[in-house]
Amino acid sequence: MGTLGNVGRALGIVGGIAVAGIAYAHVETKLFRVRRVTVPVLPPGQRPVRILQAADLHLTPSQRTKQAWVRSLAALEPDLVINTGDNFGHQQSLAPLLDVLGQLMDVPGAFVMGSNDYYAPSFKNPARYLLPDARIEGGEKIPLPTESLRKAFTDAGWVDLDNRRGLVELRDGRTIGLVGMDDPHLDLDVMPEPGRVPGEEDAVLRLGVVHAPYQRVLNQLKDDGVDAIIAGHTHGGQLCLPYYGALVTNCDLDRGRASGLHGWPGPRPDREGGEDSTWLHVSAGAGTSPYAQVRFACRPEATLMTLTAAPR
């Protein structure tokens, strides 16, 4: 009886820890932060360029805390905003999205769409993330007001990079060349035809932009000669383990690059062995599916990237 009692107490302790962990994982979805990184990628003599990456907002009309945080990002005063998709978290999210992004849309910007900009979220078996291809799933696809969001962005002057090239002019007159692809998670990616847009020869650098960092897309952007690639989609793994990191990336990118600043396909360009790599930044994003509102050891984020002149 004593042994059974000890087992019961042990199970009770384990159960209590599990409940506490789940409760904290829900709280962590509201612990928003701004990740700050420095990328030494500009030509010598260039002044810094501050890029705000907004990724994976998955915004719903009821998320007041998140809405206030997104609205506050305008105070960072970036030179350029890059939106890497998955803005919607609900069929009725368009109005609150445009409200919270309003001041940021006054800043020069560019965007690509993610799968959750095309189809509304639905309940999915979490175990699917352990499959070789997490996209294998059934269920009805409910379309979202994608084109209304696209029109709002382009009317604000943001450059649409879904399978396109573009050029953005900063407020100080400098230009940045851009090339992007539509969402690889939905197999919508098509690499734009080779070439440059008019005026790109004077650009201070070239950026590749995509929602989901599948290897095929990263390789194409790298081969196109971009100086850095910006992506989202992974949620940084969303559920991470201390000293281990992300469990999955929801694409074929390795777990070690689930979030943060890295190189592709090798080490960072400023590290030994990275001479043939390009810079890669993957944002852990700011949201979750409304059906899986948990994050663990992976706080929701936006990223402020300060591009600086590379060492001579």
Side-chain angles (χ1 to χ4, degrees), residues 27-245:
V27 170
E28 189 169 307
T29 65
K30 299 175 178 63
L31 300 180
F32 302 105
R33 69 174 181 177
V34 176
R35 182 196 295 266
R36 287 172 166 82
V37 298
T38 300
V39 191
V41 68
L42 292 173
Q46 285 289 329
R47 301 183 307 281
V49 175
R50 288 156 48 91
I51 298 178
L52 177 69
Q53 181 186 0
D56 301 274
L57 297 180
H58 294 280
L59 193 77
T60 71
S62 63
Q63 292 173 331
R64 304 301 183 190
T65 301
K66 184 191 294 184
Q67 290 176 34
W69 175 76
V70 175
R71 196 178 288 111
S72 75
L73 296 175
L76 296 171
E77 299 183 341
D79 301 305
L80 175 66
V81 177
I82 299 291
N83 184 307
T84 50
D86 272 10
N87 292 276
F88 288 107
H90 190 277
Q91 289 172 267
Q92 303 301 320
S93 291
L94 180 62
L97 264 171
L98 298 181
D99 176 51
V100 301
L101 292 172
Q103 285 186 283
L104 287 175
M105 288 164 60
D106 293 334
V107 178
F111 67 95
V112 291
M113 297 294 184
S115 60
N116 284 273
D117 295 313
Y118 289 107
Y119 301 109
S122 59
F123 177 78
K124 303 177 182 69
N125 184 347
R128 85 189 198 286
Y129 287 109
L130 301 178
L131 296 172
D133 189 340
R135 297 170 295 175
I136 299 173
E137 57 188 68
E140 180 184 5
K141 289 185 175 181
I142 302 173
L144 291 167
T146 311
E147 295 312 311
S148 295
L149 181 64
R150 190 189 310 275
K151 183 177 186 303
F153 283 168
T154 56
D155 284 353
W158 283 11
V159 179
D160 183 354
L161 294 177
D162 284 321
N163 301 330
R164 300 182 184 191
R165 299 180 183 275
L167 189 71
V168 64
E169 182 175 347
L170 305 182
R171 287 171 171 169
D172 65 6
R174 290 181 293 175
T175 55
I176 292 178
L178 301 160
V179 56
M181 280 183 258
D182 206 342
D183 186 28
H185 201 60
L186 294 179
D187 294 319
L188 297 177
D189 53 298
V190 177
M191 185 67 193
E193 291 294 321
R196 298 288 185 267
V197 297
E200 192 173 343
E201 64 276 5
D202 297 321
V204 294
L205 85 162
R206 298 181 63 246
L207 297 176
V209 182
V210 70
H211 173 65
Y214 281 84
Q215 293 186 27
R216 68 178 186 272
V217 172
L218 301 181
N219 289 334
Q220 290 177 87
L221 291 172
K222 195 265 182 185
D223 291 344
D224 197 63
V226 299
D227 299 294
I229 302 170
I230 300 174
H233 174 71
T234 65
H235 293 195
Q238 191 165 327
L239 299 176
C240 299
L241 295 179
Y243 308 108
Y244 182 80

Side-chain angles (χ1 to χ4, degrees), residues 33-40 49-51 53 230 259-262 268 279-283 301-308:
R33 69 174 181 177
V34 176
R35 182 196 295 266
R36 287 172 166 82
V37 298
T38 300
V39 191
V49 175
R50 288 156 48 91
I51 298 178
Q53 181 186 0
I230 300 174
S259 67
L261 185 63
H262 305 279
R268 290 169 40 147
W279 290 98
L280 169 65
H281 183 267
V282 180
S283 174
E301 67 180 32
T303 304
L304 186 64
M305 286 177 277
T306 301
L307 310 186
T308 61

